[in-house]
Amino acid sequence: MTFTSPQNGVFAAVDLGATSGRVITGRVGRDELALTEVHRFANTPVRLPDGLRWDVLALYQGMVDGLRAAGRGGPVVSIGIDTWAVDYGLLDAGGTLLGNPFHYRDNRNAAASAKVLARCGARELYAVSGLQHLPFNTVFQLAAHRSDVQWRAARTLLLMPDLLMHWLTGSVGAEVTNASTTGLFDARTGTWSDALIERLGLDRSLFPPLRSPGDPAGTLLPHVAEYTGLPARTPVTTVASHDTASAVAAVPATGPDFAYVSCGTWSLAGLELDAPVLTEASRAANFTNERGVDGTVRYLRNIMGMWLLEECRREWGRDGAAPGLADLLKEASGARPFAAVIDPDDPSFLAPGSMPSRIDDYLARTGQPAADGPGGHVRCVLESLALAHRRTLRQAAELAGRELTRVHLVGGGSRNELLCQWTADATGLPVTAGPAEATALGNILLQARAHGLVGDLPDMRRLVARTQELRHYRPSGDRASWDRAEARLGLG
């Protein structure tokens, strides 16, 4: 049996987000980069008596159903998997999963973070990992997990994409872009921090060998090949398995002085650097240094993104169909500018449910009037996100000593014209919007590079710029109004 030639096959990207999963196929050539979505499925967490968990078996089933659909469209050259970060599964000595993984929005994490910080201070953690303090970072989740019976039986920890890859191939590893989000990864050396793992009383053997984007991860197990109809020797290729890292790899930048906002459930706003920024000022500003492709550093801050809008829509649709996004954006465009602003990262917005009333509660606490209907809520959310993009990118540039000339806004949020224009107005920088499918494109491009079809990271980005639909927004409007709105937040 021989491998499929890259010239006559497609690459399959398994792209799992916090609310849905997809399998997308892609064809790659000198001036070709074409995607086809072949399967989409829901990602619905389940609240159990012990907390909020991912239904990882449903995700696996959706993935293999999608791979079967991919194979019906022609030969599959390779498969790559990306997901969100920080969450993990524990395997016992026989390789069996010990329960469905916990969801990062489970409320057990806040108390656990205090236990870790009591043992290893925030400055010491940051000096090693360079990671933004978030209560759901893996290092804190592990502290919450150590008291249950699963922990005592655990022999291997696999982050979500590595777990799914293990089920496809039987191989065990940890991809570096996702490993760098755990809080147990050394930002300088690009390896697990043995010293930090020991300091926190964790078993080093839990953490598998590291893999980099482009490394082979194995081939399909016989039962997977039988179910999907794909050849048993179909290779699974390690990509940038943290979805943001794959998205940043597909940013169509033509020079070094760019900022990016990968906007979906979260807005990940930041810069691409050659080395981490581990200063005390960076820690105090809560910036993260996560690994990117080819040893780059994604210097960014997590901002609560389109989650706010989607949770509002979910609440408004409880008694019927959720309002259409186009209608809501039209209503928002006619609402009063800067009537109310929020800090998107206020902890009250983290959990699911009742988002409009929680926004109104925030506005009441801060002495602002309640939002005027759905249009007012949407305008409040989008203007507040644009302000958060402005604030974050300015701080990132100052802390890293960079001068920015353009913002690339990629991901699903790039389809939101109001958010794109208001980000340009708030930052005072031109915004290039798109591609919307940046994560899947990055996943597929990294597979294609491993198979010799594209060159280095700049070459990948040039191909994206040549082949994908992009929109451009110039700053306009009253800058002083943005300044006054930001001053009302009191966040600097």
Side-chain angles (χ1 to χ4, degrees):
M1 185 179 296
T2 58
F3 290 107
T4 300
S5 166
Q7 282 75 26
N8 61 16
V10 298
F11 297 93
V14 178
D15 177 27
L16 302 185
T19 57
S20 67
R22 304 166 311 155
V23 175
I24 293 176
T25 58
R27 294 188 178 276
V28 182
R30 174 175 170 76
D31 289 301
E32 181 184 21
L33 184 53
L35 302 186
T36 302
E37 182 180 295
V38 297
H39 187 57
R40 178 180 286 268
F41 49 97
N43 182 3
T44 305
V46 180
R47 188 168 295 282
L48 298 176
D50 63 347
L52 188 65
R53 293 185 181 255
W54 297 105
D55 187 354
V56 70
L57 299 182
L59 294 179
Y60 173 80
Q61 187 64 53
M63 174 179 70
V64 293
D65 285 344
L67 293 176
R68 182 162 59 178
R72 289 197 290 266
V76 172
V77 178
S78 167
I79 299 164
I81 303 173
D82 68 78
T83 79
W84 66 96
V86 305
D87 290 332
Y88 60 90
L90 296 173
L91 306 184
D92 68 11
T96 300
L97 180 67
L98 295 166
N100 277 345
F102 278 102
H103 193 297
Y104 64 84
R105 293 189 191 274
D106 185 72
N107 59 15
R108 71 198 176 112
N109 297 321
S113 65
K115 297 179 184 178
V116 173
L117 295 176
R119 190 163 189 169
C120 185
R123 285 182 172 84
E124 183 179 351
L125 280 176
Y126 195 83
V128 175
S129 70
L131 204 65
Q132 175 184 4
H133 177 82
L134 294 166
F136 48 72
N137 289 342
T138 313
V139 64
F140 303 137
Q141 292 199 48
L142 290 175
H145 216 149
R146 290 174 69 175
S147 61
D148 64 31
V149 67
Q150 291 177 356
W151 181 262
R152 292 192 289 275
R155 297 295 180 269
T156 304
L157 181 150
L158 293 179
L159 296 164
M160 294 298 288
D162 303 317
L163 175 61
L164 294 169
M165 193 173 288
H166 171 64
W167 283 345
L168 285 186
T169 67
S171 68
V172 172
E175 191 277 320
V176 294
T177 68
N178 226 336
S180 72
T181 71
T182 61
L184 297 165
F185 183 91
D186 191 313
R188 286 190 174 91
T189 65
T191 61
W192 292 118
S193 174
D194 291 347
L196 191 54
I197 289 169
E198 181 180 358
R199 173 74 180 275
L200 294 173
L202 299 169
D203 185 346
R204 175 62 180 84
S205 66
L206 281 171
F207 302 93
L210 292 166
R211 295 192 282 220
S212 296
D215 288 349
T219 55
L220 297 181
L221 292 169
H223 71 276
V224 177
E226 180 181 5
Y227 182 84
T228 60
L230 299 175
R233 293 190 63 198
T234 302
V236 179
T237 302
T238 306
V239 297
S241 69
H242 183 357
D243 51 11
T244 305
S246 273
V248 172
V251 166
T254 56
D257 298 325
F258 70 94
Y260 58 81
V261 179
S262 180
C263 185
T265 299
W266 293 86
S267 272
L268 295 309
L271 318 176
E272 184 174 77
L273 303 178
D274 295 326
V277 180
L278 301 175
T279 61
E280 175 58 19
S282 180
R283 185 194 71 81
N286 213 20
F287 274 84
T288 206
N289 294 268
E290 297 173 356
R291 212 70 170 180
V293 172
D294 295 345
T296 57
V297 172
R298 290 176 289 120
Y299 187 59
L300 59 88
R301 190 159 62 204
N302 285 43
I303 302 164
M304 208 88 70
M306 302 306 285
W307 162 260
L308 298 165
L309 178 55
E310 290 309 309
E311 282 297 289
C312 284
R313 292 185 66 210
R314 196 177 345 266
E315 185 69 16
W316 293 326
R318 283 171 66 88
D319 298 324
L325 183 58
D327 291 337
L328 286 172
L329 294 180
K330 183 178 180 180
E331 190 175 343
S333 67
R336 185 161 67 91
F338 305 112
V341 290
I342 61 173
D343 173 10
D345 294 321
D346 188 87
S348 64
F349 302 135
L350 181 62
S354 192
M355 192 61 70
S357 63
R358 278 188 274 157
I359 289 173
D360 287 339
D361 289 344
Y362 177 99
L363 297 177
R365 291 199 318 267
T366 54
Q368 301 181 76
D372 184 14
H377 281 97
V378 173
R379 181 148 197 152
C380 172
V381 165
L382 296 182
E383 287 180 336
S384 298
L385 283 178
L387 283 169
H389 295 163
R390 157 187 160 131
R391 183 169 61 252
T392 300
L393 296 180
R394 282 184 174 179
Q395 285 185 306
E398 180 180 347
L399 291 164
R402 293 281 289 271
E403 192 75 29
L404 302 180
T405 60
R406 180 172 296 275
V407 178
H408 285 271
L409 201 156
V410 301
S414 68
R415 297 189 179 101
N416 190 312
E417 294 186 3
L418 287 182
L419 180 61
C420 295
Q421 184 61 61
W422 289 343
T423 296
D425 295 345
T427 61
L429 293 169
V431 168
T432 295
E437 301 291 354
T439 299
L441 286 166
N443 180 321
I444 285 167
L445 282 167
L446 287 164
Q447 293 183 66
R449 185 173 77 164
H451 286 77
L453 291 186
V454 291
D456 58 11
L457 189 55
D459 189 36
M460 289 166 52
R461 287 172 168 161
R462 284 190 290 268
L463 181 59
V464 174
R466 288 199 306 271
T467 59
Q468 303 304 300
E469 180 182 354
L470 307 175
R471 296 189 306 278
H472 303 280
Y473 298 83
R474 303 292 304 181
S476 61
D478 180 5
R479 293 288 301 283
S481 296
W482 290 97
D483 294 340
R484 288 191 296 270
E486 185 170 66
R488 284 159 54 191
L489 287 170
L491 298 175

